[in-house]
Amino acid sequence: PSRLLSSLLSVFFFSLQAQLKYLQCIAISCLVLAAKTDEEDEVIPSVQTMAVQRRCKRSPAKILRMERVILDKLQWDLYTETPMDFLNIFHAMVMSKWPQLVPSLAQRNPSLHVALLTRQLQHWMACHQLVQFKGSTLALVIITLELERLTPGWFAVTTALLKK
């Protein structure tokens, strides 16, 4: 649920420019939604229990109302692709469609390489100036910069990724 929670929070906070007084209610509502959509078989505490545990000053009715607002704003589509999803997809495409780039990664295996790029992307996502860009754009920029560093044929690979 933490992946969904972070996705919900980022979409809701940054796309809607929520007022400060509603942030706690939005956060607990996103937590409730993430718990409800968790694929693991766990007992989900009641909204009232979660509000008490998180020291939320809003009533369960207000939290449930905010949950409905969030669902309406997201058009009931709780899965939102994250920049990490795009980074993993782009990296896998590069590794599978352009295997000649793999030798330039001789010092790293692909898993360690994508982990390094993931840390870089997380750092970028923490920068408020970059919030204005789509997750796919941030991921593509990181992949492009890495390709430019590794190979002279980076432009053709980036162009192919852009078409996708």
Side-chain angles (χ1 to χ4, degrees):
S2 62
R3 185 174 173 276
L4 175 62
L5 178 61
S6 65
S7 179
L8 284 171
L9 287 172
S10 64
V11 166
F12 205 74
F13 284 146
F14 300 120
S15 68
L16 301 178
Q17 301 300 315
Q19 291 182 17
L20 194 53
K21 65 181 180 179
Y22 296 115
L23 291 183
Q24 186 182 34
C25 192
I26 292 169
I28 194 75
S29 298
C30 289
L31 183 62
V32 169
L33 285 168
K36 287 179 180 179
T37 57
D38 187 14
E39 294 176 4
E40 297 176 16
D41 292 330
E42 295 180 19
V43 177
I44 300 170
S46 69
V47 172
Q48 184 170 4
T49 302
M50 289 180 84
V52 169
Q53 288 175 344
R54 304 293 187 262
R55 296 187 198 114
C56 181
K57 297 177 181 93
R58 306 289 179 193
S59 70
K62 286 187 179 182
I63 293 170
L64 291 172
R65 198 170 326 135
M66 182 59 73
E67 182 181 334
R68 176 65 186 229
V69 168
I70 292 169
L71 288 169
D72 286 344
K73 292 288 183 188
L74 297 175
Q75 299 173 341
W76 288 75
D77 181 12
L78 292 181
Y79 181 77
T80 303
E81 296 81 9
T82 66
M84 298 299 174
D85 293 330
F86 286 107
L87 182 69
N88 288 320
I89 290 167
F90 291 152
H91 190 268
M93 288 173 65
V94 168
M95 292 295 113
S96 65
K97 292 191 178 208
W98 295 278
Q100 68 273 17
L101 297 179
V102 177
S104 49
L105 294 174
Q107 71 279 11
R108 295 185 201 127
N109 69 35
S111 296
L112 291 176
H113 186 243
V114 80
L116 175 73
L117 297 178
T118 298
R119 282 193 300 278
Q120 186 177 355
L121 182 59
Q122 288 170 334
H123 179 72
W124 284 19
M125 289 168 50
C127 180
H128 74 278
Q129 291 99 341
L130 298 177
V131 171
Q132 65 183 320
F133 298 105
K134 292 181 180 179
S136 58
T137 303
L138 291 176
L140 185 60
V141 167
I142 285 179
I143 292 286
T144 300
L145 290 171
E146 187 67 3
L147 288 171
E148 183 180 18
R149 188 180 69 80
L150 292 174
T151 181
W154 67 272
F155 189 74
V157 176
T158 300
T159 303
L161 290 174
L162 271 171
K163 290 178 182 175
K164 301 291 180 188

